[in-house]
Every structure is written in C-alpha cells, then in structure tokens.
C-alpha cells in the first residue's frame, strides 16, 4: 500500500493522507477598512480547489497575530472577530471535502511592511499602508530594509499574548490544527538566530535565552489550544551560514524541547533569515534536515522543498525520512495533484461526487 495515502493520526485528529499543502501567502486581503486582513473570495477559491483535489491537510498561509505582524498590508490576519467569521466559510468547506484545515499563526518581525512580490516586494511606508517593523534587535534584514525597532520586554510579552489570542480565534474559526511560524527570518526565527538576535538580556545571547521567546509562545498557544488538537511548529533548520547563525544541530536540540512543550509535529524548512546566502537548491534539498530531526528526536516531521512527483514523495515516506510531505509550487500548478498521484501509485483518494466523471 502507498505510504503517501495512509491516514496519519495526531492526537484526536486524523489526516486522511500525507499530501499536505504548506502555507503560501497570497497577498490578496484588503489592506484597510473593515475587512482588513480577512480572507476574501480569492482565498476561498484557492483553498477550496486544493481541498476538492484531494489534499489531506491545508495549512492556510501566514496569518498575522497583529496588524504589525503582517508581511505586507495585503496579508491575512486573525486579530479580530470579523476575520474569524470570514475564515469560517473556508474551514467549513475544507472540512466538508474531508480535508483537515490548519492555520499558520505568524509575526513577520523585521521583514514586515513590504509590498506584494509582484510589485517588487520592497519595504513601504505609511503612504502605502506601511508601518515601522519591530524585531529582537535593531538590525535590518538587508540594506533595502529599515532598521526595526527593538522590542522591549513588555512588548515581547504583548506579542506572546497576541499569539494566544490568535489561537483562541483560530479555534473559533474552525481550524483543527494551529502552526506557529518560527521560520524564514520572521520574528520567532529572528529571536532564535544569533545572526539577528544581538540582545544582552534574558532573550538574547545564550541558546537558552534565544529560544525563550519561542517556547513562551508555544506554551501560551498550547494553554489555550485544546488538548485533543495538534500543534505544529515551522522551523528554518539552518540559516545557511557557515558561522554565527542557527544550525541543523540547533534544530535537532530544539525539536526535543518543542516536543516536551506539547508540539506535535515539526514542519522543517530552511533559510530566510540572512540575505545573500547561497542555498543549494535541488529536488528535495531540505528533506535531509527533516530526516535528521525524525531520526534523532521523538518529533514527527513534515518535509518540504522541491518535492514535485508522486514517486519522489512516496520514497521520502517509505524510507522513513518524514511522516508527511508539503507540496508548495506543485499544488499551485495542479490543485488536483493528490488525485493524480493516487492514480500513479495505485491508491485511492476522496473525489467529490461532482467530479466522479473524471475518475
């Protein structure tokens, strides 16, 4: 039997298969007005198509815990009840298709207040709905980004509470799984890495201090997230720096701690916290990081990164390198990738009755 199309149990949630969709920002929410940060028709159609296509679990794109936590003014958010009601339409449809709805709770830190990628993605100011980014230290991401404001200890605690409040709203919105975004150079990743965290207080310096904020967020979310529902954490396994950054060794060590704090799965990506680094792109280039965490810790893992065809995905799971695969670009290209993969592997996947003539 195909490993890719076996169910996966996490706490009291069963994901019908191991074909998962990672969070991919659509930059399509209203930047101002009463619907700011709320999912719109584009989001409903986008996620609905992948659910109808047989995807087992969909992680809704980075959803900010505060207005300042957005990457761009066009990002999703979950800091008010208007957003909650808009998300319910999506989670109802996904659940009705047999897909497990998850959401990534995020704060973008020093990489906030930028334009949409197809507009260049450059930092923007108040005249374009922008704002002043914040970070663990007043260190800009690169020469094009502004120097962020350094968070005070009281502000750090406010952000921790914002994550908890966002988790409460995610539950009310109908999500079955919450994922904490600790990757790609955004706020939690900025605290973890000595490349971006130059603090000298209890949130900087040593490994224990640099991981403090992340664990406080995990604890705050886990406290309000029901025991029967899983909690994920997305991590950049490495900054891809030879020295002075977060490393794969750090990731393995941290996986043990996250597991002890109630995280149920590590979503293993890489990079994003240091500009100008050379990343050796290639098929499955991040899978070895996931495989190492799985081999050296008790944490289940999902692998991501140029996983494109059914045989490749099947081999990753059959070899025990990961418990699930996350397909990004492939699911953008082909919303029904799961159905096609099932046919190739001689497996079965749920097909909506309206689409039975296509089987």
């Amino acid at each position: 039997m195909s490993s890719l199309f076996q169910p996966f149990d996490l706490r009291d949630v069963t994901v019908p298969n191991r074909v998962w969709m990672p969070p991919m920002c659509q930059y399509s929410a209203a930047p101002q007005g009463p619907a700011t940060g709320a999912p719109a028709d584009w989001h409903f159609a986008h996620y609905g198509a992948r659910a109808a296509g047989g995807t087992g679990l969909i992680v809704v794109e980075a959803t900010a815990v505060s207005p300042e936590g957005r990457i761009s003014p066009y990002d999703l958010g979950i800091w008010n009840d208007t957003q909650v009601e808009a998300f319910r339409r999506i989670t109802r449809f996904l659940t009705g298709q047999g897909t497990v709805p998850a959401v990534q709770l995020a704060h973008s830190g020093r990489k906030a207040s930028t334009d949409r990628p197809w507009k260049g993605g450059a930092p923007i100011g108040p005249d374009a709905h922008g704002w002043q980014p914040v970070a663990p230290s007043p260190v800009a991401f690169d020469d094009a980004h502004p120097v962020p404001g350094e968070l005070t200890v009281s502000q750090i605690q406010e952000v921790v509470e914002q994550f908890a409040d966002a988790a409460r709203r995610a539950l009310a919105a109908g999500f079955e799984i919450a994922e904490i975004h600790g990757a790609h150079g955004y706020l939690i990743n900025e605290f973890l890495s000595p490349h971006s965290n130059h603090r000298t207080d209890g949130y900087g310096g040593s490994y224990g201090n640099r991981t403090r904020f992340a664990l406080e967020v995990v604890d705050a979310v886990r406290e309000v997230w029901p025991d029967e529902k899983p909690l994920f954490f997305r991590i950049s396994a490495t900054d891809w720096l030879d020295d002075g950054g977060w490393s794969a060794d750090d990731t393995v060590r941290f996986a043990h701690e996250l597991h002890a704090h109630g995280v149920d799965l590590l979503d293993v990506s890489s990079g994003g916290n240091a500009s100008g680094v050379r990343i050796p792109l290639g098929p499955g280039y991040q899978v070895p990081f996931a495989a190492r965490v799985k081999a050296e810790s008790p944490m289940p893992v999902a692998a991501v990164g140029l996983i494109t065809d059914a045989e490749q995905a099947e081999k990753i799971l059959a070899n025990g390198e990961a418990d699930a695969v996350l397909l990004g670009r492939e699911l953008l290209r082909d919303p029904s990738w799961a159905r096609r993969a099932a046919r190739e592997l001689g497996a079965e996947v749920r097909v909506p009755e309206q689409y039975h003539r296509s089987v």
Side-chain angles (χ1 to χ4, degrees), residues 276-308:
V277 297
R278 299 183 65 179
I279 299 176
L281 298 177
Y285 72 102
Q286 295 175 141
V287 173
F289 297 118
R292 185 177 169 194
V293 171
K294 183 170 174 60
E296 299 180 28
S297 82
M299 181 76 79
V301 298
V304 64
L306 294 181
I307 300 169
T308 57

mmCIF file of all heavy atoms in Angstrom, residues 276-308:
data_model
loop_
_atom_site.group_PDB
_atom_site.id
_atom_site.type_symbol
_atom_site.label_atom_id
_atom_site.label_comp_id
_atom_site.label_asym_id
_atom_site.label_seq_id
_atom_site.Cartn_x
_atom_site.Cartn_y
_atom_site.Cartn_z
ATOM 1 N N GLY A 276 21.570 37.234 0.969
ATOM 2 C CA GLY A 276 22.767 36.990 0.176
ATOM 3 C C GLY A 276 23.407 35.632 0.344
ATOM 4 O O GLY A 276 24.505 35.398 -0.168
ATOM 5 N N VAL A 277 22.750 34.698 1.052
ATOM 6 C CA VAL A 277 23.349 33.372 1.223
ATOM 7 C C VAL A 277 23.076 32.511 -0.005
ATOM 8 O O VAL A 277 22.110 32.726 -0.742
ATOM 9 C CB VAL A 277 22.805 32.673 2.483
ATOM 10 C CG1 VAL A 277 23.171 33.461 3.723
ATOM 11 C CG2 VAL A 277 21.291 32.481 2.399
ATOM 12 N N ARG A 278 23.936 31.550 -0.212
ATOM 13 C CA ARG A 278 23.776 30.624 -1.337
ATOM 14 C C ARG A 278 23.168 29.334 -0.820
ATOM 15 O O ARG A 278 23.750 28.656 0.024
ATOM 16 C CB ARG A 278 25.128 30.356 -2.009
ATOM 17 C CG ARG A 278 25.773 31.618 -2.585
ATOM 18 C CD ARG A 278 27.070 31.300 -3.303
ATOM 19 N NE ARG A 278 26.828 30.478 -4.483
ATOM 20 C CZ ARG A 278 27.814 30.069 -5.302
ATOM 21 N NH1 ARG A 278 29.070 30.381 -5.044
ATOM 22 N NH2 ARG A 278 27.525 29.337 -6.372
ATOM 23 N N ILE A 279 21.991 29.016 -1.345
ATOM 24 C CA ILE A 279 21.278 27.811 -0.928
ATOM 25 C C ILE A 279 21.348 26.791 -2.065
ATOM 26 O O ILE A 279 20.996 27.103 -3.212
ATOM 27 C CB ILE A 279 19.810 28.136 -0.585
ATOM 28 C CG1 ILE A 279 19.764 29.137 0.579
ATOM 29 C CG2 ILE A 279 19.043 26.870 -0.240
ATOM 30 C CD1 ILE A 279 18.372 29.599 0.939
ATOM 31 N N PRO A 280 21.824 25.577 -1.795
ATOM 32 C CA PRO A 280 21.984 24.562 -2.852
ATOM 33 C C PRO A 280 20.638 23.947 -3.247
ATOM 34 O O PRO A 280 20.277 22.860 -2.811
ATOM 35 C CB PRO A 280 22.912 23.537 -2.210
ATOM 36 C CG PRO A 280 22.620 23.644 -0.742
ATOM 37 C CD PRO A 280 22.310 25.097 -0.490
ATOM 38 N N LEU A 281 19.904 24.660 -4.076
ATOM 39 C CA LEU A 281 18.585 24.187 -4.484
ATOM 40 C C LEU A 281 18.679 22.933 -5.338
ATOM 41 O O LEU A 281 19.579 22.781 -6.168
ATOM 42 C CB LEU A 281 17.858 25.289 -5.256
ATOM 43 C CG LEU A 281 17.573 26.592 -4.504
ATOM 44 C CD1 LEU A 281 16.919 27.599 -5.435
ATOM 45 C CD2 LEU A 281 16.702 26.331 -3.290
ATOM 46 N N GLY A 282 17.721 22.046 -5.145
ATOM 47 C CA GLY A 282 17.629 20.826 -5.922
ATOM 48 C C GLY A 282 16.461 20.008 -5.421
ATOM 49 O O GLY A 282 15.879 20.324 -4.364
ATOM 50 N N PRO A 283 16.068 18.958 -6.135
ATOM 51 C CA PRO A 283 14.927 18.154 -5.706
ATOM 52 C C PRO A 283 15.084 17.658 -4.268
ATOM 53 O O PRO A 283 16.100 17.042 -3.923
ATOM 54 C CB PRO A 283 14.924 16.990 -6.700
ATOM 55 C CG PRO A 283 15.578 17.555 -7.931
ATOM 56 C CD PRO A 283 16.627 18.484 -7.420
ATOM 57 N N GLY A 284 14.109 17.976 -3.441
ATOM 58 C CA GLY A 284 14.124 17.515 -2.065
ATOM 59 C C GLY A 284 15.276 18.045 -1.230
ATOM 60 O O GLY A 284 15.685 17.402 -0.254
ATOM 61 N N TYR A 285 15.777 19.229 -1.540
ATOM 62 C CA TYR A 285 17.009 19.708 -0.906
ATOM 63 C C TYR A 285 16.892 19.924 0.598
ATOM 64 O O TYR A 285 17.909 19.960 1.308
ATOM 65 C CB TYR A 285 17.481 20.996 -1.590
ATOM 66 C CG TYR A 285 16.646 22.232 -1.314
ATOM 67 C CD1 TYR A 285 17.062 23.212 -0.413
ATOM 68 C CD2 TYR A 285 15.428 22.425 -1.970
ATOM 69 C CE1 TYR A 285 16.301 24.336 -0.169
ATOM 70 C CE2 TYR A 285 14.662 23.549 -1.732
ATOM 71 C CZ TYR A 285 15.100 24.502 -0.829
ATOM 72 O OH TYR A 285 14.343 25.617 -0.592
ATOM 73 N N GLN A 286 15.665 20.053 1.117
ATOM 74 C CA GLN A 286 15.502 20.240 2.557
ATOM 75 C C GLN A 286 15.113 18.958 3.291
ATOM 76 O O GLN A 286 15.066 18.940 4.529
ATOM 77 C CB GLN A 286 14.447 21.330 2.830
ATOM 78 C CG GLN A 286 14.894 22.689 2.336
ATOM 79 C CD GLN A 286 13.835 23.769 2.464
ATOM 80 O OE1 GLN A 286 14.154 24.894 2.796
ATOM 81 N NE2 GLN A 286 12.578 23.443 2.191
ATOM 82 N N VAL A 287 14.869 17.904 2.553
ATOM 83 C CA VAL A 287 14.444 16.642 3.160
ATOM 84 C C VAL A 287 15.465 16.105 4.168
ATOM 85 O O VAL A 287 15.073 15.595 5.234
ATOM 86 C CB VAL A 287 14.124 15.598 2.076
ATOM 87 C CG1 VAL A 287 13.850 14.222 2.700
ATOM 88 C CG2 VAL A 287 12.932 16.039 1.239
ATOM 89 N N PRO A 288 16.789 16.199 3.895
ATOM 90 C CA PRO A 288 17.737 15.676 4.894
ATOM 91 C C PRO A 288 17.606 16.307 6.269
ATOM 92 O O PRO A 288 17.879 15.650 7.287
ATOM 93 C CB PRO A 288 19.104 15.990 4.263
ATOM 94 C CG PRO A 288 18.850 15.988 2.787
ATOM 95 C CD PRO A 288 17.480 16.601 2.648
ATOM 96 N N PHE A 289 17.199 17.572 6.339
ATOM 97 C CA PHE A 289 17.005 18.205 7.643
ATOM 98 C C PHE A 289 15.845 17.555 8.392
ATOM 99 O O PHE A 289 15.924 17.284 9.590
ATOM 100 C CB PHE A 289 16.749 19.708 7.476
ATOM 101 C CG PHE A 289 17.895 20.461 6.862
ATOM 102 C CD1 PHE A 289 17.740 21.121 5.655
ATOM 103 C CD2 PHE A 289 19.132 20.503 7.485
ATOM 104 C CE1 PHE A 289 18.778 21.816 5.086
ATOM 105 C CE2 PHE A 289 20.189 21.206 6.916
ATOM 106 C CZ PHE A 289 20.018 21.862 5.716
ATOM 107 N N ALA A 290 14.735 17.325 7.667
ATOM 108 C CA ALA A 290 13.593 16.653 8.282
ATOM 109 C C ALA A 290 13.966 15.244 8.709
ATOM 110 O O ALA A 290 13.600 14.789 9.804
ATOM 111 C CB ALA A 290 12.418 16.622 7.304
ATOM 112 N N ALA A 291 14.710 14.543 7.853
ATOM 113 C CA ALA A 291 15.101 13.162 8.156
ATOM 114 C C ALA A 291 15.956 13.099 9.412
ATOM 115 O O ALA A 291 15.821 12.178 10.228
ATOM 116 C CB ALA A 291 15.843 12.569 6.968
ATOM 117 N N ARG A 292 16.835 14.089 9.578
ATOM 118 C CA ARG A 292 17.697 14.078 10.755
ATOM 119 C C ARG A 292 16.889 14.320 12.031
ATOM 120 O O ARG A 292 17.108 13.657 13.042
ATOM 121 C CB ARG A 292 18.795 15.133 10.618
ATOM 122 C CG ARG A 292 19.783 15.077 11.752
ATOM 123 C CD ARG A 292 20.925 16.038 11.640
ATOM 124 N NE ARG A 292 21.642 16.077 12.898
ATOM 125 C CZ ARG A 292 22.534 16.994 13.235
ATOM 126 N NH1 ARG A 292 22.825 17.976 12.379
ATOM 127 N NH2 ARG A 292 23.127 16.954 14.408
ATOM 128 N N VAL A 293 15.953 15.264 11.987
ATOM 129 C CA VAL A 293 15.106 15.500 13.163
ATOM 130 C C VAL A 293 14.319 14.242 13.503
ATOM 131 O O VAL A 293 14.205 13.855 14.674
ATOM 132 C CB VAL A 293 14.154 16.691 12.915
ATOM 133 C CG1 VAL A 293 13.135 16.806 14.044
ATOM 134 C CG2 VAL A 293 14.941 17.992 12.775
ATOM 135 N N LYS A 294 13.786 13.592 12.494
ATOM 136 C CA LYS A 294 12.990 12.380 12.730
ATOM 137 C C LYS A 294 13.856 11.266 13.328
ATOM 138 O O LYS A 294 13.407 10.525 14.215
ATOM 139 C CB LYS A 294 12.344 11.910 11.424
ATOM 140 C CG LYS A 294 11.430 10.700 11.593
ATOM 141 C CD LYS A 294 10.633 10.431 10.340
ATOM 142 C CE LYS A 294 9.835 9.139 10.461
ATOM 143 N NZ LYS A 294 8.868 9.180 11.585
ATOM 144 N N ALA A 295 15.094 11.163 12.864
ATOM 145 C CA ALA A 295 15.977 10.101 13.335
ATOM 146 C C ALA A 295 16.537 10.376 14.729
ATOM 147 O O ALA A 295 16.809 9.436 15.485
ATOM 148 C CB ALA A 295 17.128 9.910 12.349
ATOM 149 N N GLU A 296 16.707 11.647 15.084
ATOM 150 C CA GLU A 296 17.428 11.996 16.307
ATOM 151 C C GLU A 296 16.551 12.620 17.390
ATOM 152 O O GLU A 296 17.067 13.104 18.400
ATOM 153 C CB GLU A 296 18.586 12.944 15.969
ATOM 154 C CG GLU A 296 19.612 12.335 15.032
ATOM 155 C CD GLU A 296 20.753 13.275 14.709
ATOM 156 O OE1 GLU A 296 21.073 14.151 15.542
ATOM 157 O OE2 GLU A 296 21.327 13.147 13.609
ATOM 158 N N SER A 297 15.242 12.620 17.192
ATOM 159 C CA SER A 297 14.339 13.166 18.212
ATOM 160 C C SER A 297 13.026 12.394 18.173
ATOM 161 O O SER A 297 12.762 11.645 17.227
ATOM 162 C CB SER A 297 14.079 14.655 17.946
ATOM 163 O OG SER A 297 13.076 14.831 16.967
ATOM 164 N N PRO A 298 12.171 12.595 19.169
ATOM 165 C CA PRO A 298 10.863 11.918 19.169
ATOM 166 C C PRO A 298 9.817 12.651 18.337
ATOM 167 O O PRO A 298 8.659 12.225 18.310
ATOM 168 C CB PRO A 298 10.475 11.924 20.653
ATOM 169 C CG PRO A 298 11.115 13.160 21.189
ATOM 170 C CD PRO A 298 12.417 13.309 20.445
ATOM 171 N N MET A 299 10.206 13.734 17.663
ATOM 172 C CA MET A 299 9.258 14.605 16.976
ATOM 173 C C MET A 299 8.886 14.097 15.579
ATOM 174 O O MET A 299 9.754 13.892 14.731
ATOM 175 C CB MET A 299 9.865 16.003 16.845
ATOM 176 C CG MET A 299 8.964 17.009 16.161
ATOM 177 S SD MET A 299 7.636 17.586 17.222
ATOM 178 C CE MET A 299 8.525 18.789 18.219
ATOM 179 N N PRO A 300 7.608 13.898 15.295
ATOM 180 C CA PRO A 300 7.190 13.667 13.906
ATOM 181 C C PRO A 300 7.527 14.884 13.053
ATOM 182 O O PRO A 300 7.570 16.017 13.554
ATOM 183 C CB PRO A 300 5.679 13.476 14.024
ATOM 184 C CG PRO A 300 5.450 13.063 15.448
ATOM 185 C CD PRO A 300 6.480 13.808 16.237
ATOM 186 N N VAL A 301 7.752 14.670 11.755
ATOM 187 C CA VAL A 301 8.181 15.763 10.887
ATOM 188 C C VAL A 301 7.449 15.722 9.553
ATOM 189 O O VAL A 301 7.016 14.667 9.075
ATOM 190 C CB VAL A 301 9.700 15.730 10.622
ATOM 191 C CG1 VAL A 301 10.480 15.895 11.917
ATOM 192 C CG2 VAL A 301 10.110 14.442 9.908
ATOM 193 N N ALA A 302 7.338 16.913 8.957
ATOM 194 C CA ALA A 302 6.884 17.032 7.573
ATOM 195 C C ALA A 302 8.010 17.653 6.781
ATOM 196 O O ALA A 302 8.680 18.589 7.246
ATOM 197 C CB ALA A 302 5.628 17.890 7.484
ATOM 198 N N ALA A 303 8.235 17.141 5.570
ATOM 199 C CA ALA A 303 9.318 17.610 4.708
ATOM 200 C C ALA A 303 8.761 18.492 3.601
ATOM 201 O O ALA A 303 7.653 18.273 3.110
ATOM 202 C CB ALA A 303 10.073 16.426 4.106
ATOM 203 N N VAL A 304 9.568 19.471 3.202
ATOM 204 C CA VAL A 304 9.162 20.418 2.177
ATOM 205 C C VAL A 304 10.386 20.825 1.374
ATOM 206 O O VAL A 304 11.511 20.724 1.851
ATOM 207 C CB VAL A 304 8.491 21.656 2.820
ATOM 208 C CG1 VAL A 304 9.480 22.420 3.681
ATOM 209 C CG2 VAL A 304 7.863 22.567 1.788
ATOM 210 N N GLY A 305 10.170 21.264 0.138
ATOM 211 C CA GLY A 305 11.273 21.790 -0.654
ATOM 212 C C GLY A 305 11.509 21.039 -1.942
ATOM 213 O O GLY A 305 12.203 20.021 -1.959
ATOM 214 N N LEU A 306 10.917 21.528 -3.028
ATOM 215 C CA LEU A 306 11.067 20.947 -4.364
ATOM 216 C C LEU A 306 10.747 19.456 -4.385
ATOM 217 O O LEU A 306 11.474 18.644 -4.958
ATOM 218 C CB LEU A 306 12.469 21.217 -4.919
ATOM 219 C CG LEU A 306 12.798 22.691 -5.189
ATOM 220 C CD1 LEU A 306 14.193 22.847 -5.764
ATOM 221 C CD2 LEU A 306 11.763 23.325 -6.122
ATOM 222 N N ILE A 307 9.660 19.116 -3.728
ATOM 223 C CA ILE A 307 9.071 17.778 -3.846
ATOM 224 C C ILE A 307 7.996 17.905 -4.916
ATOM 225 O O ILE A 307 7.020 18.642 -4.736
ATOM 226 C CB ILE A 307 8.483 17.314 -2.506
ATOM 227 C CG1 ILE A 307 9.576 17.264 -1.443
ATOM 228 C CG2 ILE A 307 7.817 15.948 -2.655
ATOM 229 C CD1 ILE A 307 9.060 17.068 -0.025
ATOM 230 N N THR A 308 8.170 17.208 -6.019
ATOM 231 C CA THR A 308 7.345 17.502 -7.184
ATOM 232 C C THR A 308 6.566 16.327 -7.756
ATOM 233 O O THR A 308 5.524 16.543 -8.385
ATOM 234 C CB THR A 308 8.220 18.088 -8.315
ATOM 235 O OG1 THR A 308 9.268 17.158 -8.632
ATOM 236 C CG2 THR A 308 8.833 19.422 -7.891
#
